[in-house]
Every structure is written in C-alpha cells, then in structure tokens.
Amino acid sequence: MSGEPETIQPGSEVVMHFSITLEDGTVADSTEGEEPLRFVMGDQTLIEGLELALYGLKAGDKQSLIIEPENAFGHRDPANIHPVQRDEFPEEMEIREGVIVGFVTPGGDEIPGTVIELGEKEVTVDFNHPIAGHEIRFEVEILEITNGGKQPAMQ
C-alpha cells in the first residue's frame, strides 16, 4: 500500500451526492436531502460525459463543472419528435403540453416523451431527453470510493 488515497477509475464503486442544474438555475436532478447515489463506474448509471468528469477524484473532493450538450444529454434531434394517436393514451390520463409520459418501446425499454402539442386526433411527443440541448452545471461531492482488487498487469 502506498498510502495514497484511492481515486475514481474504471470499475470503481462510487458513493456521491450530485446536482444537475440548467443554465437558468433550474435543478434538473439532485440527491440533496436524499440518499447519495451509489454506482460502479462504467455501469451506465451516468452518461459517459458525466462519468468522465469524475475520473481522478478522491473521497472528500467536490467538483463543479459546466458541461456542453454534446458531452451531457446531447443536442435536440428533430427526428425524435413523433405524432402519437390520442387513443394510444389511457382514457383517464390528463394529456397537456409539457407533461412527460413514459412509453414502452417495441424492445420493452421505457423511454420518456414530452407532450409538445395537442391535436384533435394526434399528440405530438418529443422523445429527446428532457434536458437535451442544454448546457448543464454538474456538481458532485465524492463521499466514498471502493476499488476492487488490483487489476493484473497487461502482458
């Protein structure tokens, strides 16, 4: 043991508090007042651009970064906006502009879609990530890092 504190690397188990804030100050996601997030680097809990901001940090470190859309939730893609027939929504569901609805893909995955326009027979739904196209402030406080056993040296 070198006595050096452990740093975040591929495969590290990380426990942290975080917040994601939009340009206008709106908090898009946060663990403030909740349990911290626990995940393994590379397990796709966080998108790649957010993971990259964590490499090399140690327990106790705090970091605040501005991340451009291309490294965060991507840019808005007009091809991800689709009409959905009104009768595909449950009858009891209140449909209004701005509501985020969970849809199930043919492959069984659930994806969010934001209602952006109401028509008589169709509802226009934006399947871009709700914060796609936004520059974000990503703030983290690293609480704990656990690295597995030493990886074998490459031969």
Side-chain angles (χ1 to χ4, degrees):
M1 291 301 244
S2 66
E4 290 290 315
E6 292 194 81
T7 60
I8 296 175
Q9 52 194 283
S12 294
E13 183 176 338
V14 178
V15 180
M16 70 178 197
H17 277 296
F18 76 95
S19 70
I20 295 174
T21 309
L22 304 181
E23 306 97 319
D24 66 2
T26 302
V27 176
D29 199 2
S30 174
T31 59
E32 187 175 329
E34 298 178 15
E35 286 292 311
L37 176 65
R38 179 182 296 269
F39 69 101
V40 175
M41 291 292 282
D43 72 0
Q44 298 182 342
T45 296
L46 294 180
I47 60 172
E48 184 179 9
L50 300 185
E51 272 198 2
L52 290 173
L54 302 177
Y55 283 109
L57 296 179
K58 301 179 287 304
D61 283 353
K62 293 181 180 183
Q63 176 132 297
S64 179
L65 296 168
I66 301 295
I67 301 178
E68 297 296 321
E70 56 272 11
N71 294 316
F73 295 91
H75 289 283
R76 302 191 67 68
D77 181 353
N80 288 336
I81 298 174
H82 300 281
V84 177
Q85 296 300 310
R86 268 191 182 259
D87 60 11
E88 290 188 37
F89 292 87
E91 215 172 282
E92 68 278 0
M93 179 183 281
E94 180 187 350
I95 306 169
R96 64 183 194 285
E97 289 182 17
V99 168
I100 297 174
V101 179
F103 291 86
V104 178
T105 67
D109 296 322
E110 186 169 325
I111 59 169
T114 304
V115 174
I116 57 172
E117 190 178 317
L118 297 172
E120 204 170 296
K121 296 186 181 197
E122 289 183 339
V123 176
T124 305
V125 180
D126 183 348
F127 289 99
N128 286 291
H129 189 283
I131 57 177
H134 289 274
E135 175 183 278
I136 62 167
R137 176 177 298 278
F138 182 50
E139 296 182 61
V140 298
E141 178 183 6
I142 307 302
L143 303 175
E144 188 181 315
I145 301 166
T146 306
N147 288 317
K150 294 283 182 199
Q151 297 294 318
M154 298 301 277
Q155 303 260 342

